[in-house]
């Protein structure tokens, strides 16, 4: 499951939109920034609030520039924007249009990112700006990911305030999520440095579509990443996401090499990426390149955005995906977005006992002690304290 505002599948579109809007608004304005009498209209603003020059571009001559942040490497003429809609060429210099202007700020369970091996049972201060470098037809946050920043309500939250409130409210981590965080890279990186000083973790849920140099800089301050491996063919990425698979695989390898804790999410979409043989091939790649102990979350798809005519993923399909992953040798295989499924919990691959019990985002007994299974002593990968 991508990190999203969870809709009840029985909600109408109107109810869902109202739910999203209310959720973003209440948690941002009234709860998280401590202005109980302040309405959304008073706190949030439409239009471009602030801009910040980006160091991640190369001048090409004649005022044209090339963005260096993600593999799209947009060539942008004067006065135009890149594909993600939040970076603009102004007189031959490239500007981020969303620095310090999140449109979504939530206090979420870390399980919602989803992370199953990072401080279970804690909360993560989670944020996003408008924009994305993918255009997934199944995007669950399309209202913000496919928006121009001037068209939606955003808040003015400098990095210092973000970290201060995260700490005050008792979050153990800050999460860069909901859309692709690469598109607000400068803002994310500045928050990351302050977060480390404050003793919190930096975690991200990302599509992994980022260039190697900015990724390596980010790895210096990033503790954990959940990467969407949306499919395992270039065709899937091209047709359904307007992206590419190979840079995502490179990102996964780099994160592992740089010792960032990695978990993977695969949203299983009926008829699009649910072929067992391809899922098995993907899992064998994960085992070979990242290790058998890399947690993977198979997430249930619900019809949304441009794929409304497809049915929700049958739970039996998720079970088959899980069986394929276990038979490929992966040790921690989860099923998400199917509350009550046994595979929400963590099982020790050695003694097979349940070591972290979960129902939805609720965490029960935790039997991981000092990073090991309490029953048999097997080391369990992750961040536990
Ligand atoms: S970050 Fe945005 S502007 Fe830069 S290359 Fe990617 S899509 Fe293009």
């Amino acid at each position: 499951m991508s990190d999203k505002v969870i809709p009840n599948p029985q909600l109408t579109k109107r109810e869902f939109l109202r739910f999203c809007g209310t959720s973003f608004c209440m948690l941002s304005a009234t709860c998280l920034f401590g202005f109980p009498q302040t309405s959304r209209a008073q706190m949030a603003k439409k239009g471009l609030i602030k801009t910040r020059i980006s160091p991640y571009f190369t001048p090409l001559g004649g005022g044209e520039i090339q963005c260096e942040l993600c593999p799209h490497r947009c060539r942008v003429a004067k006065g135009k924007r890149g594909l993600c809609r939040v970076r603009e060429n102004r007189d031959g210099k490239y500007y981020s249009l969303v620095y310090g202007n999140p449109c979504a700020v939530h206090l979420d369970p870390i399980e919602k990112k989803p992370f199953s091996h990072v401080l279970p049972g804690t909360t993560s201060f989670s944020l996003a700006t408008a924009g994305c470098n993918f255009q997934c037809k199944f995007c669950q946050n399309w209202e913000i990911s496919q928006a121009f920043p001037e068209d939606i309500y955003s808040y003015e939250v400098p990095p210092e305030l973000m970290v201060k409130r995260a700490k005050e409210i008792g979050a153990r981590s800050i999460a860069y999520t909901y859309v692709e965080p690469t598109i607000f890279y400068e803002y994310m990186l500045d928050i990351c440095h302050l977060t480390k000083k404050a003793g919190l973790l930096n975690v991200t849920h990302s599509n992994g579509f980022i260039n190697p140099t900015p990724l390596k800089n980010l790895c210096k301050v990033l503790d954990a990443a959940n990467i969407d491996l949306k499919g395992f063919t270039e065709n899937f990425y091209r047709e359904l996401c307007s992206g590419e698979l190979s840079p995502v695989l490179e990102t996964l390898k780099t994160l592992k090499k740089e010792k960032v804790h990695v978990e993977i999410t695969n949203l299983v979409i009926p008829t699009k990426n649910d072929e067992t043989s391809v899922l098995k091939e993907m899992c064998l790649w994960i085992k070979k390149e990242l290790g058998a102990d890399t947690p993977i979350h198979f997430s249930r798809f619900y019809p949304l955005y441009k794929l409304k005519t497809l049915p929700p993923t049958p739970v039996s399909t998720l079970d088959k995906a899980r069986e394929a992953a276990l038979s490929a040798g992966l040790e921690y295989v989860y099923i998400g977005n199917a509350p009550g499924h046994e595979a929400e919990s963590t099982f020790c691959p050695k003694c097979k006992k349940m070591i972290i019990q979960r129902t939805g985002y609720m965490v029960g007994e935790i039997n991981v002690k000092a990073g090991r299974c309490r029953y048999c002593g097997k080391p369990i990968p992750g961040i536990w304290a």
Side-chain angles (χ1 to χ4, degrees):
M1 170 177 52
S2 69
D3 188 11
K4 64 184 177 68
V5 178
I6 303 293
N8 179 330
Q10 287 162 0
L11 291 182
T12 62
K13 182 182 172 191
R14 180 185 293 257
E15 286 165 336
F16 169 61
L17 289 173
R18 192 187 313 136
F19 175 74
C20 293
T22 305
S23 183
F24 285 146
C25 164
M26 286 177 61
L27 286 168
S28 300
T30 64
C31 299
L32 298 179
F33 292 103
F35 301 110
Q37 302 306 322
T38 310
S39 71
R40 178 186 193 181
Q42 287 168 296
M43 275 209 71
K45 296 175 192 160
K46 264 192 179 178
L48 296 179
I49 302 174
K50 275 196 168 171
T51 58
R52 167 79 59 117
I53 194 162
S54 166
Y56 300 95
F57 74 92
T58 306
L60 297 176
E64 193 183 22
I65 61 96
Q66 179 165 292
C67 179
E68 304 294 356
L69 270 177
C70 91
H72 284 311
R73 289 199 164 83
C74 295
R75 293 172 69 116
V76 186
K78 268 191 198 174
K80 300 291 184 195
R81 294 188 190 176
L83 276 173
C84 57
R85 305 180 179 90
V86 299
R87 299 180 169 272
E88 188 168 279
N89 180 344
R90 294 184 174 175
D91 290 327
K93 293 197 166 59
Y94 213 32
Y95 284 80
S96 163
L97 306 179
V98 291
Y99 186 99
N101 302 136
C103 61
V105 185
H106 284 246
L107 185 66
D108 285 342
I110 191 94
E111 285 71 24
K112 184 172 178 248
K113 299 303 102 191
F115 282 107
S116 294
H117 293 234
V118 179
L119 302 179
T122 64
T123 53
S124 192
F125 209 67
S126 306
L127 68 116
T129 71
C132 191
N133 56 2
F134 274 11
Q135 294 163 356
C136 300
K137 291 183 172 152
F138 46 88
C139 182
Q140 319 219 10
N141 290 324
W142 56 269
E143 299 94 334
I144 57 173
S145 71
Q146 303 305 310
F148 285 85
E150 58 270 43
D151 289 345
I152 59 172
Y153 284 97
S154 295
Y155 302 91
E156 201 169 336
V157 187
E160 297 76 12
L161 180 57
M162 192 67 82
V163 177
K164 182 171 174 279
R165 283 304 288 140
K167 188 124 182 156
E168 283 169 355
I169 213 160
R172 296 284 306 277
S173 56
I174 293 191
Y176 312 93
T177 179
Y178 306 131
V179 301
E180 173 44 39
T182 301
I183 61 99
F184 58 90
Y185 184 88
E186 296 85 355
Y187 185 39
M188 169 169 63
L189 199 61
D190 284 357
I191 298 173
C192 279
H193 284 288
L194 296 172
T195 302
K196 296 304 284 181
K197 281 188 197 152
L200 306 180
L201 298 184
N202 286 306
V203 305
T204 185
H205 186 153
S206 162
N207 64 18
F209 204 64
I210 180 170
N211 280 339
T213 301
L215 174 61
K216 282 183 191 157
N217 283 339
L218 181 64
C219 285
K220 291 175 192 158
V221 282
L222 188 65
D223 297 287
N226 187 312
I227 301 296
D228 275 328
L229 191 47
K230 294 169 188 274
F232 205 60
T233 64
E234 287 294 351
N235 192 47
F236 179 91
Y237 268 82
R238 207 169 30 245
E239 297 288 315
L240 280 103
C241 310
S242 304
E244 296 165 54
L245 169 64
S246 51
V248 179
L249 300 182
E250 286 309 308
T251 289
L252 281 165
K253 289 197 264 183
T254 302
L255 288 166
K256 201 76 190 175
K257 204 165 132 205
E258 299 290 326
K259 304 205 180 322
V260 175
H261 171 74
V262 173
E263 301 191 21
I264 290 173
T265 295
N266 177 257
L267 181 74
V268 183
I269 306 174
T271 71
K272 299 295 182 191
N273 64 355
D274 60 346
E275 233 180 273
T276 311
S277 60
V278 179
L279 290 170
K280 179 116 181 218
E281 192 191 337
M282 179 178 83
C283 293
L284 288 169
W285 182 91
I286 294 169
K287 185 182 173 197
K288 178 167 176 272
E289 299 293 343
L290 310 176
D293 63 353
T294 306
I296 181 166
H297 304 253
F298 290 111
S299 185
R300 191 177 191 202
F301 162 86
Y302 284 101
L304 262 180
Y305 194 39
K306 295 185 178 174
L307 292 187
K308 284 202 195 79
T309 55
L310 292 179
T313 317
V315 174
S316 59
T317 304
L318 298 167
D319 286 332
K320 273 188 208 149
R322 185 164 189 258
E323 278 161 28
L326 291 170
S327 73
L330 296 187
E331 294 178 330
Y332 303 95
V333 185
Y334 297 94
I335 288 183
N337 222 6
H341 198 292
E342 185 190 54
E344 291 180 313
S345 297
T346 303
F347 294 86
C348 173
K350 189 173 166 201
C351 70
K352 311 295 179 201
K353 292 215 167 78
M354 185 188 285
I355 49 176
I356 305 173
Q357 188 209 356
R358 294 185 193 82
T359 306
Y361 300 140
M362 286 170 57
V363 177
E365 207 175 324
I366 300 177
N367 283 305
V368 179
K369 301 289 170 209
R372 291 174 178 271
C373 169
R374 206 187 82 183
Y375 301 107
C376 71
K378 180 178 169 58
I380 309 295
I383 303 171
W384 304 108

